[in-house]
Amino acid sequence: MKHHLAQINIGRFRLPPENPANADFMSALDGVNTIAESSPGFIWRLKGEGSNNATDIRAFDDPMMALNMSVWESVEQLAA
């Protein structure tokens, strides 16, 4: 049986995601996700319904919480 690696990051914004202080981070997401999707070993990543990332998914009651998740063929490919 073949196995894959699922990785998840959970973080909390200090300021609301739409705050201008988070603009650089938010605007970099598409580029970072494009790099990941074109990387060897990439299989899948979590996306919300309203965006090309997972920032609109509310898995917690706290709107300052954010998460992302991706699936890879191996830990070495994720690390690369």
Side-chain angles (χ1 to χ4, degrees), residues 5 12-13 19-20 32 34-35 37 44 49-50 60-62 70 72 76:
L5 173 72
R12 187 174 190 281
F13 286 99
N19 187 288
V32 170
T34 297
I35 292 169
E37 289 178 342
W44 172 88
E49 291 187 27
F60 306 95
D61 290 336
D62 183 349
S70 58
W72 297 81
E76 294 81 16

Side-chain angles (χ1 to χ4, degrees), residues 30-67:
D30 283 345
V32 170
N33 288 330
T34 297
I35 292 169
E37 289 178 342
S38 64
S39 296
F42 173 85
I43 296 172
W44 172 88
R45 71 180 174 86
L46 181 64
K47 296 180 188 180
E49 291 187 27
S51 64
N52 190 36
N53 56 58
T55 58
D56 64 339
I57 295 174
R58 296 288 169 243
F60 306 95
D61 290 336
D62 183 349
M64 304 283 270
M65 297 296 289
L67 63 98

